[in-house]
Amino acid sequence: MTANAGRDHLVSLDEWDAMPEDKNLELVDGVLHLVSAALPPHRKAQNRLAHWFDEQLPDGLTAYADVDVVLDASSRPTVRKPDVVVVSVEAARRAPKRFAAADVLLAVEIVSPGSERVDRVTKPTQYAKAGIAHYWLVELDEPVSLTTFELVDGVYKLAEDGTGEVKLSKPAPLVIDLDRLTALR
């Protein structure tokens, strides 16, 4: 759903930055798009992944949940909010309002009802075009699953997938217990 009601022009990055930080919006080709608020299981998975990443990532990397990433800074800008991103500590120390795609090593999307096509088709295409090296797709339907992709010649190629406890080597050695991803405790 677009949220440009009452707007007679494309939204610039300066206008985007002037909006409240807690907006449930993404900017696609200069057009505002309303993003549904995440349901509790989705939010739990998002927070848990970011926490697990920070516990396991090497010293030069850190994770953030729900931050703006500029995929295209042209006159028709695109700003997405991946569920979780991994960036360099150097990029994080700059304390940006938003990260550039070049700062992002990994973007993770957790599929929610209503976001299936965007998370499985649109966003990976945009992330690949922006040069984000790794893309993960988490499906919360039982059994919870993870599919990882690596950018090869400008296109995401399947790297690894699984359920249960998944041990990954890229973008860093990580162990993700998908059975615990949405557990309450």
Short mmCIF file of all heavy atoms in Angstrom, two decimals, residues 32-59:
data_model
loop_
_atom_site.label_atom_id
_atom_site.label_comp_id
_atom_site.label_asym_id
_atom_site.label_seq_id
_atom_site.Cartn_x
_atom_site.Cartn_y
_atom_site.Cartn_z
N LEU A 32 6.19 6.71 -0.97
CA LEU A 32 6.08 6.12 0.36
C LEU A 32 5.21 4.87 0.30
O LEU A 32 4.16 4.87 -0.35
CB LEU A 32 5.45 7.13 1.33
CG LEU A 32 6.27 8.37 1.62
CD1 LEU A 32 5.46 9.35 2.47
CD2 LEU A 32 7.58 8.03 2.31
N HIS A 33 5.67 3.83 1.00
CA HIS A 33 4.92 2.58 1.10
C HIS A 33 4.73 2.25 2.58
O HIS A 33 5.70 2.20 3.34
CB HIS A 33 5.67 1.42 0.43
CG HIS A 33 5.64 1.48 -1.05
ND1 HIS A 33 4.88 0.64 -1.81
CD2 HIS A 33 6.27 2.32 -1.93
CE1 HIS A 33 5.04 0.93 -3.09
NE2 HIS A 33 5.88 1.94 -3.19
N LEU A 34 3.49 2.02 2.96
CA LEU A 34 3.16 1.65 4.32
C LEU A 34 3.61 0.21 4.58
O LEU A 34 3.36 -0.68 3.77
CB LEU A 34 1.65 1.77 4.55
CG LEU A 34 1.13 1.53 5.96
CD1 LEU A 34 1.73 2.55 6.93
CD2 LEU A 34 -0.38 1.63 5.96
N VAL A 35 4.30 0.01 5.70
CA VAL A 35 4.76 -1.32 6.09
C VAL A 35 3.94 -1.73 7.31
O VAL A 35 3.88 -1.00 8.30
CB VAL A 35 6.27 -1.31 6.45
CG1 VAL A 35 6.73 -2.67 6.91
CG2 VAL A 35 7.08 -0.82 5.27
N SER A 36 3.31 -2.87 7.25
CA SER A 36 2.51 -3.35 8.38
C SER A 36 3.40 -3.55 9.60
O SER A 36 4.54 -4.00 9.49
CB SER A 36 1.85 -4.68 8.03
OG SER A 36 0.97 -4.52 6.95
N ALA A 37 2.85 -3.23 10.75
CA ALA A 37 3.57 -3.47 12.00
C ALA A 37 3.78 -4.97 12.17
O ALA A 37 2.90 -5.77 11.88
CB ALA A 37 2.79 -2.90 13.18
N ALA A 38 4.94 -5.34 12.65
CA ALA A 38 5.27 -6.76 12.84
C ALA A 38 4.47 -7.34 13.99
O ALA A 38 4.29 -6.71 15.03
CB ALA A 38 6.76 -6.91 13.12
N LEU A 39 3.99 -8.57 13.79
CA LEU A 39 3.29 -9.30 14.84
C LEU A 39 4.31 -9.79 15.88
O LEU A 39 5.51 -9.90 15.58
CB LEU A 39 2.53 -10.47 14.24
CG LEU A 39 1.41 -10.09 13.26
CD1 LEU A 39 0.81 -11.34 12.62
CD2 LEU A 39 0.34 -9.26 13.96
N PRO A 40 3.87 -10.09 17.10
CA PRO A 40 4.81 -10.49 18.15
C PRO A 40 5.78 -11.62 17.77
O PRO A 40 6.98 -11.49 18.07
CB PRO A 40 3.90 -10.87 19.32
CG PRO A 40 2.72 -9.96 19.14
CD PRO A 40 2.51 -9.91 17.64
N PRO A 41 5.37 -12.73 17.13
CA PRO A 41 6.36 -13.75 16.77
C PRO A 41 7.45 -13.23 15.82
O PRO A 41 8.62 -13.57 15.95
CB PRO A 41 5.54 -14.86 16.11
CG PRO A 41 4.15 -14.67 16.63
CD PRO A 41 4.00 -13.19 16.81
N HIS A 42 7.05 -12.39 14.90
CA HIS A 42 8.00 -11.78 13.96
C HIS A 42 8.98 -10.90 14.72
O HIS A 42 10.19 -10.98 14.53
CB HIS A 42 7.21 -10.97 12.93
CG HIS A 42 8.06 -10.32 11.89
ND1 HIS A 42 8.77 -9.16 12.13
CD2 HIS A 42 8.29 -10.64 10.60
CE1 HIS A 42 9.41 -8.81 11.03
NE2 HIS A 42 9.14 -9.69 10.09
N ARG A 43 8.47 -10.07 15.61
CA ARG A 43 9.31 -9.16 16.39
C ARG A 43 10.26 -9.95 17.29
O ARG A 43 11.44 -9.61 17.43
CB ARG A 43 8.42 -8.24 17.22
CG ARG A 43 9.15 -7.15 17.93
CD ARG A 43 9.75 -6.12 17.04
NE ARG A 43 8.72 -5.29 16.46
CZ ARG A 43 8.91 -4.49 15.44
NH1 ARG A 43 10.11 -4.39 14.90
NH2 ARG A 43 7.95 -3.80 14.93
N LYS A 44 9.77 -11.05 17.89
CA LYS A 44 10.62 -11.90 18.73
C LYS A 44 11.77 -12.48 17.91
O LYS A 44 12.93 -12.44 18.32
CB LYS A 44 9.79 -13.03 19.36
CG LYS A 44 10.56 -14.02 20.21
CD LYS A 44 11.14 -13.41 21.45
CE LYS A 44 10.10 -13.32 22.54
NZ LYS A 44 10.68 -12.81 23.81
N ALA A 45 11.45 -13.00 16.72
CA ALA A 45 12.48 -13.57 15.84
C ALA A 45 13.48 -12.51 15.42
O ALA A 45 14.70 -12.75 15.41
CB ALA A 45 11.83 -14.21 14.61
N GLN A 46 13.01 -11.34 15.10
CA GLN A 46 13.87 -10.24 14.68
C GLN A 46 14.84 -9.86 15.81
O GLN A 46 16.07 -9.76 15.58
CB GLN A 46 12.98 -9.05 14.33
CG GLN A 46 13.68 -7.82 13.84
CD GLN A 46 12.66 -6.72 13.55
OE1 GLN A 46 11.59 -6.65 14.15
NE2 GLN A 46 13.00 -5.87 12.61
N ASN A 47 14.33 -9.67 17.00
CA ASN A 47 15.18 -9.29 18.13
C ASN A 47 16.16 -10.39 18.50
O ASN A 47 17.32 -10.13 18.81
CB ASN A 47 14.32 -8.91 19.34
CG ASN A 47 13.56 -7.62 19.11
OD1 ASN A 47 13.94 -6.79 18.30
ND2 ASN A 47 12.45 -7.48 19.82
N ARG A 48 15.67 -11.64 18.47
CA ARG A 48 16.54 -12.76 18.83
C ARG A 48 17.68 -12.91 17.82
O ARG A 48 18.83 -13.13 18.19
CB ARG A 48 15.72 -14.04 18.94
CG ARG A 48 16.53 -15.17 19.54
CD ARG A 48 15.67 -16.25 20.13
NE ARG A 48 15.24 -15.86 21.47
CZ ARG A 48 14.07 -16.20 22.01
NH1 ARG A 48 13.21 -16.92 21.34
NH2 ARG A 48 13.76 -15.83 23.22
N LEU A 49 17.38 -12.79 16.52
CA LEU A 49 18.43 -12.88 15.50
C LEU A 49 19.49 -11.81 15.71
O LEU A 49 20.69 -12.09 15.67
CB LEU A 49 17.85 -12.74 14.10
CG LEU A 49 17.38 -14.01 13.41
CD1 LEU A 49 16.78 -13.66 12.05
CD2 LEU A 49 18.49 -15.02 13.26
N ALA A 50 19.06 -10.57 15.91
CA ALA A 50 20.02 -9.47 16.13
C ALA A 50 20.88 -9.76 17.35
O ALA A 50 22.11 -9.55 17.32
CB ALA A 50 19.28 -8.14 16.27
N HIS A 51 20.28 -10.27 18.41
CA HIS A 51 21.03 -10.61 19.62
C HIS A 51 22.03 -11.74 19.37
O HIS A 51 23.20 -11.66 19.75
CB HIS A 51 20.06 -10.99 20.75
CG HIS A 51 20.72 -11.44 22.00
ND1 HIS A 51 21.35 -10.57 22.86
CD2 HIS A 51 20.88 -12.68 22.53
CE1 HIS A 51 21.86 -11.26 23.86
NE2 HIS A 51 21.59 -12.54 23.69
N TRP A 52 21.56 -12.81 18.72
CA TRP A 52 22.46 -13.93 18.42
C TRP A 52 23.61 -13.48 17.52
O TRP A 52 24.75 -13.93 17.71
CB TRP A 52 21.69 -15.07 17.75
CG TRP A 52 20.81 -15.85 18.67
CD1 TRP A 52 20.81 -15.84 20.04
CD2 TRP A 52 19.78 -16.76 18.28
NE1 TRP A 52 19.84 -16.69 20.52
CE2 TRP A 52 19.19 -17.27 19.46
CE3 TRP A 52 19.31 -17.19 17.05
CZ2 TRP A 52 18.16 -18.18 19.45
CZ3 TRP A 52 18.26 -18.11 17.03
CH2 TRP A 52 17.70 -18.60 18.22
N PHE A 53 23.32 -12.64 16.56
CA PHE A 53 24.38 -12.13 15.69
C PHE A 53 25.43 -11.41 16.54
O PHE A 53 26.62 -11.64 16.39
CB PHE A 53 23.84 -11.17 14.64
CG PHE A 53 23.13 -11.83 13.49
CD1 PHE A 53 22.38 -11.06 12.63
CD2 PHE A 53 23.18 -13.19 13.26
CE1 PHE A 53 21.71 -11.63 11.55
CE2 PHE A 53 22.51 -13.78 12.20
CZ PHE A 53 21.78 -13.00 11.34
N ASP A 54 24.98 -10.49 17.40
CA ASP A 54 25.93 -9.72 18.20
C ASP A 54 26.76 -10.61 19.13
O ASP A 54 27.90 -10.31 19.42
CB ASP A 54 25.22 -8.63 19.00
CG ASP A 54 25.00 -7.37 18.17
OD1 ASP A 54 25.71 -7.19 17.15
OD2 ASP A 54 24.13 -6.57 18.54
N GLU A 55 26.18 -11.73 19.57
CA GLU A 55 26.93 -12.66 20.41
C GLU A 55 27.99 -13.43 19.62
O GLU A 55 29.01 -13.82 20.16
CB GLU A 55 26.00 -13.68 21.06
CG GLU A 55 25.15 -13.14 22.18
CD GLU A 55 24.29 -14.21 22.81
OE1 GLU A 55 23.89 -15.17 22.11
OE2 GLU A 55 24.03 -14.09 24.02
N GLN A 56 27.75 -13.66 18.32
CA GLN A 56 28.60 -14.56 17.54
C GLN A 56 29.46 -13.89 16.47
O GLN A 56 30.43 -14.49 16.01
CB GLN A 56 27.73 -15.62 16.84
CG GLN A 56 26.95 -16.51 17.80
CD GLN A 56 26.10 -17.51 17.06
OE1 GLN A 56 26.61 -18.27 16.23
NE2 GLN A 56 24.80 -17.50 17.31
N LEU A 57 29.10 -12.70 16.04
CA LEU A 57 29.86 -12.06 14.96
C LEU A 57 31.27 -11.72 15.41
O LEU A 57 31.50 -11.43 16.59
CB LEU A 57 29.15 -10.77 14.52
CG LEU A 57 27.88 -10.96 13.70
CD1 LEU A 57 27.14 -9.62 13.57
CD2 LEU A 57 28.18 -11.53 12.33
N PRO A 58 32.22 -11.73 14.48
CA PRO A 58 33.57 -11.29 14.83
C PRO A 58 33.57 -9.82 15.23
O PRO A 58 32.63 -9.09 14.95
CB PRO A 58 34.37 -11.54 13.54
CG PRO A 58 33.39 -11.75 12.47
CD PRO A 58 32.09 -12.13 13.09
N ASP A 59 34.64 -9.39 15.87
CA ASP A 59 34.73 -8.05 16.44
C ASP A 59 34.45 -6.91 15.45
O ASP A 59 33.96 -5.87 15.84
CB ASP A 59 36.10 -7.82 17.08
CG ASP A 59 36.27 -8.63 18.36
OD1 ASP A 59 35.25 -9.06 18.94
OD2 ASP A 59 37.43 -8.84 18.76
#
